Amino acid sequence: MQPQSRKTPTFGRLLAGVCLVFGLLCSLSSSAVEILLTGAEDSPGVQSFTQALSELRPTDSVRFQALASLPAPGKLPSGTRLILLDLPSLDWRLQDSQGPATLVLRISRLQARQRLNNELPNHLSLLWSDPPLERQLRLTRLILPQVRRVGVLYDRHSEFLLKELRLAAVPLGLEIVTEPWDDTNDSRPLQTLLKNSDVLLGLDDPDLYNPKTAKNLLLSSYARQMALIGPNAAFVKAGSLASTYSDQSDWLAILDDLLDRPPASWPRSLYPRQFKVLSNPQVARSLGIEQMNEASVATQLAEGESRP
């Protein structure tokens, strides 16, 4: 009888352990989140992004579904975390005030203003695609410490950014010099701005900075040995000096962080905390500017943002 009494506690402990593991598995299963990405078109890039997010969130259900095959937003399960990848999907989401909490990925300040007119629904959180103005100004100050007057072209769509830009320039000791450029076929505003500035800072306004205007902007600034900062990584590759930007890994990091939080705590809008710096070494050489260490510059900018 004595051996049997020794076996009983062992079996009890084993049973308790099995129950504990089962309970943990049930808990993990019940906490899994349905993450739905949508956009007007599927593509290899979209699939790669979806797969990367899925690998970051192995306990969640992550999938992409084309916009055309989705019901109205209000018919989606309320517990779904909805991620919009383009403007058509935002237009679809705005048609219905009901539906799950929604993250709008990579939308510019101009695009949001045109569609929302500063009225942001509570169920939307906007993740900005254009680099923060204050960060771009600090980049300018860091790599071109001698400049004082920052020239900025704007039109009726981007004019609303000027107040924020001027406020950000004050603690950096910079002066914002502006010129309206409503007709990009007329070079006079550009030439006037170049005469009165030490550097050009490009706003992420596609009406002003696009393939058609790039040649005029870049050649005119080079003729005066003046650098153009921004407005984005694509323009740096085309011939501007430098810009800050966020890549796929940065966007995935911010999504991973937000998806760990309850949607009620999501900010209405935010910039990715993680970012990189891209420079054009050939342009730097032509302007007589020492080639920069992009990683070091990004680190210095990030450290400045983390200070109280």
Side-chain angles (χ1 to χ4, degrees):
M1 296 297 294
Q2 194 171 6
Q4 186 176 359
S5 65
R6 286 196 300 269
K7 290 180 183 178
T8 302
T10 302
F11 177 76
R13 286 195 297 270
L14 178 61
L15 181 61
V18 169
C19 290
L20 176 62
V21 171
F22 182 75
L24 288 172
L25 289 174
C26 290
S27 174
L28 286 173
S29 176
S30 63
S31 64
V33 174
E34 179 79 13
I35 301 170
L36 174 61
L37 296 89
T38 189
E41 296 182 5
D42 198 352
S43 69
V46 167
Q47 289 299 326
S48 173
F49 187 82
T50 304
Q51 178 62 31
L53 183 59
S54 179
E55 290 170 0
L56 273 179
R57 317 279 306 175
T59 62
D60 294 336
S61 171
V62 181
R63 64 187 177 91
F64 172 84
Q65 187 170 341
L67 186 61
S69 65
L70 286 177
K75 294 185 178 180
L76 294 173
S78 60
T80 301
R81 305 292 187 264
L82 187 60
I83 301 175
L84 309 183
L85 301 179
D86 54 23
L87 293 177
S89 60
L90 175 59
D91 293 335
W92 162 81
R93 183 66 183 91
L94 291 173
Q95 294 173 4
D96 193 342
S97 61
Q98 302 301 311
T102 304
L103 294 167
V104 185
L105 189 65
R106 288 181 288 204
I107 182 171
S108 75
R109 300 276 297 279
L110 269 70
Q111 291 168 338
R113 186 177 179 88
Q114 288 168 354
R115 279 168 168 76
L116 301 171
N117 196 27
N118 291 333
E119 296 180 4
L120 182 57
N122 291 330
H123 55 269
L124 294 185
S125 291
L126 308 183
L127 309 186
W128 301 124
S129 62
D130 42 338
L133 298 176
E134 192 264 349
R135 185 182 293 165
Q136 293 290 83
L137 284 175
R138 289 194 302 110
L139 172 67
T140 304
R141 165 60 75 215
L142 189 60
I143 63 178
L144 299 169
Q146 76 280 7
V147 306
R148 291 293 178 270
R149 299 171 300 168
V150 180
V152 179
L153 293 163
Y154 69 94
D155 64 9
R156 60 188 179 88
H157 297 122
S158 50
E159 185 176 7
F160 76 100
L161 295 171
L162 297 182
K163 180 179 179 181
E164 177 183 335
L165 193 61
R166 289 191 175 101
L167 288 173
V170 171
L172 297 173
L174 296 172
E175 176 190 355
I176 303 299
V177 182
T178 63
E179 279 290 333
W181 202 24
D182 295 314
D183 179 6
T184 55
N185 293 315
D186 181 0
S187 291
R188 286 174 296 178
L190 172 59
Q191 296 302 327
T192 299
L193 190 66
L194 290 170
K195 291 176 184 176
N196 297 316
S197 307
D198 303 319
V199 64
L200 290 186
L201 177 67
L203 300 178
D204 195 3
D205 182 342
D207 289 337
L208 303 183
Y209 290 87
N210 57 59
K212 291 183 179 180
T213 63
K215 183 177 180 180
N216 187 18
L217 283 162
L218 295 170
L219 291 181
S220 296
S221 58
Y222 292 159
R224 290 184 174 270
Q225 284 289 289
M226 189 177 295
L228 169 61
I229 303 296
N232 49 48
F235 228 83
V236 175
K237 295 174 183 177
S240 65
L241 176 61
S243 184
T244 63
Y245 72 102
S246 295
D247 62 11
Q248 175 168 299
S249 65
D250 301 322
W251 288 106
L252 287 168
I254 195 171
L255 284 178
D256 191 36
D257 176 56
L258 290 173
L259 292 168
D260 277 339
R261 308 185 204 174
S265 71
W266 290 352
R268 298 274 58 80
S269 66
L270 75 163
Y271 286 102
R273 287 188 301 275
Q274 298 182 19
F275 63 92
K276 298 174 176 65
V277 170
L278 181 67
S279 65
N280 190 315
Q282 183 177 351
V283 171
R285 284 194 300 270
S286 69
L287 295 175
I289 299 171
E290 183 178 350
Q291 185 173 342
M292 71 190 74
N293 183 317
E294 297 169 341
S296 175
V297 171
T299 298
Q300 292 179 68
L301 291 175
E303 288 174 348
E305 292 181 7
S306 64
R307 292 174 190 152

